[in-house]
Amino acid sequence: ARMHVAWRLLVPLLAAEVNSFSSRPSLSSFTNFPTSLAMSTTTDSWEALQSAASNTPVGSALDQESASRTAGTGAAFVQNKLRLFGADEKPKLTLYRDHAGWCPYCQKTMLLIEEKRIPINIELVPMRSYGDKPESFLRIVPSGLLPALLVETSDGRKQVVTESQVIMELLDSWHPVEDGFKQMMPSEEDSASMQRYRQLSNLERELFSWWCTLIFRPEGPSFGSPGMLGKLMGKSSEPAMSGAMSGFLECLEKVDDALASTKGPWFFDWAEHPTMIDFIYVSHVERMLASAAFWKGLDLRSDKYQQQFPA
């Protein structure tokens, strides 16, 4: 509906341009325009334009969703500033996260909050690459690190926690299964699952290291090509691959094997929902897929790599 309003504003401009050149056809010759575009396009103000948009079915639905988000009851959205999940009281927790939704550490924290349905206030702060952080935030978090969790105790004291992994583990421990929240970590009594969790955490760090080596550092010599001498001797030419790309793909294969070892889509079978380790992986893997394709031409979503990494 908002696109429709934009078109209604655009039509008179198109008409003026079209009719200003005698060599071009007049607006009346454009017979494929929807009849709704022929309606009046004059408006007195932006408020009137907003009102007109709100009176359409889609505009009304967007307004209702915006109001729900403000009230803390809407759908998940990067610009949300309150999440209640049915809670009656104002949350005592405030998460400071990036406003653009690009910080992977903020994303994994928000994924856990959404999955566990933890009531929380949210304040949006720009990453350094998008501008200066407000002084009000720096007074609370002098380092400027995101995400940051502000905890208000019952006696009015406030404490700030940084580092996404620490924040996630605290949020999980403060909202246990006994209180109706989803389990995110293996049980301490389940030594095998705890060992697997630690192994998967180490593997994620290894994958992250290979990704940084591949994307952010100059690539070393390529392997797989026979070189000039080999070609003269009749050896077949194979696509060259740098050591960094080879290491990244080999590590990714380990991740795929770990994921394939479970019956469902997650790293653990004891839950029917994603858990802590899934969130730890997904925020970086999402960025790996985009950056590897853009900077290195490595399309991990292609049929070739879908077959190599089926999980």
Side-chain angles (χ1 to χ4, degrees):
R2 299 183 189 274
M3 182 71 73
H4 173 67
V5 172
W7 266 108
R8 290 173 55 189
L9 290 172
L10 187 60
V11 167
L13 300 177
L14 291 173
E17 183 179 355
V18 169
N19 291 324
S20 65
F21 296 94
S22 58
S23 60
R24 297 184 183 181
S26 65
L27 184 61
S28 60
S29 65
F30 288 80
T31 58
N32 291 329
F33 278 172
T35 56
S36 59
L37 294 180
M39 299 171 60
S40 171
T41 58
T42 60
T43 183
D44 296 330
S45 63
W46 281 108
E47 289 75 13
L49 183 62
Q50 184 179 18
S51 177
S54 296
N55 287 330
T56 64
V58 174
S60 176
L62 289 172
D63 289 343
Q64 291 176 19
E65 177 59 24
S66 178
S68 296
R69 287 171 179 160
T70 301
T73 59
F77 185 59
V78 69
Q79 298 294 319
N80 280 339
K81 301 193 72 175
L82 177 64
R83 303 298 283 148
L84 289 178
F85 301 112
D88 297 326
E89 299 180 355
K90 182 177 175 61
K92 299 290 187 181
L93 302 172
T94 299
L95 180 74
Y96 291 85
R97 61 158 301 175
D98 70 307
H99 78 295
W102 182 241
C103 170
Y105 304 100
C106 295
Q107 182 189 17
K108 66 178 69 177
T109 305
M110 278 306 305
L111 287 172
L112 179 128
I113 289 170
E114 290 290 334
E115 188 64 30
K116 283 186 74 83
R117 298 175 61 84
I118 299 173
I120 197 166
N121 304 296
I122 302 168
E123 292 294 336
L124 304 175
V125 180
M127 294 172 65
R128 288 191 176 92
S129 54
Y130 295 122
D132 295 332
K133 299 180 187 295
E135 288 297 327
S136 58
F137 171 70
L138 293 176
R139 283 195 293 269
I140 298 172
V141 187
S143 65
L145 288 175
L146 292 173
L149 183 68
L150 179 64
V151 183
E152 184 179 350
T153 61
S154 56
D155 58 2
R157 292 181 300 163
K158 295 181 179 180
Q159 183 177 355
V160 176
V161 182
T162 57
E163 300 295 339
S164 60
Q165 190 61 39
V166 176
I167 292 172
M168 293 170 72
E169 291 177 1
L170 284 174
L171 288 174
D172 185 48
S173 65
W174 292 340
H175 301 85
V177 176
E178 294 77 15
D179 292 343
F181 296 94
K182 292 182 179 179
Q183 182 178 351
M184 289 290 136
M185 289 285 291
S187 170
E188 291 290 345
E189 291 75 26
D190 188 349
S191 58
S193 291
M194 285 301 300
Q195 181 180 5
R196 176 176 170 83
Y197 176 83
R198 288 189 288 269
Q199 291 172 342
L200 287 170
S201 296
N202 292 335
L203 181 58
E204 191 275 337
R205 290 292 82 194
E206 181 183 349
L207 181 66
F208 180 82
S209 177
W210 276 115
W211 173 57
C212 290
T213 300
L214 174 65
I215 300 298
F216 304 112
R217 299 175 186 172
E219 290 191 69
S222 299
F223 301 98
S225 175
M228 182 60 69
L229 180 60
K231 291 178 181 178
L232 291 174
M233 297 177 64
K235 293 183 179 179
S236 61
S237 178
E238 297 292 337
M241 181 178 294
S242 69
M245 185 172 293
S246 176
F248 174 68
L249 291 175
E250 288 174 4
C251 189
L252 197 60
E253 189 168 3
K254 296 179 186 176
V255 176
D256 190 73
D257 289 342
L259 197 56
S261 67
T262 60
K263 298 176 182 178
W266 318 115
F267 280 112
F268 282 106
D269 281 330
W270 49 258
E272 295 183 355
H273 57 265
T275 62
M276 181 82 73
I277 195 64
D278 297 294
F279 300 139
I280 290 173
Y281 270 85
V282 71
S283 61
H284 277 130
V285 169
E286 181 182 46
R287 287 151 182 79
M288 292 174 189
L289 294 175
S291 59
F294 185 83
W295 293 109
K296 300 298 178 179
L298 181 62
D299 185 5
L300 294 169
R301 295 188 184 276
S302 66
D303 292 340
K304 172 186 175 181
Y305 288 108
Q306 288 285 341
Q307 294 175 4
Q308 184 173 346
F309 308 121

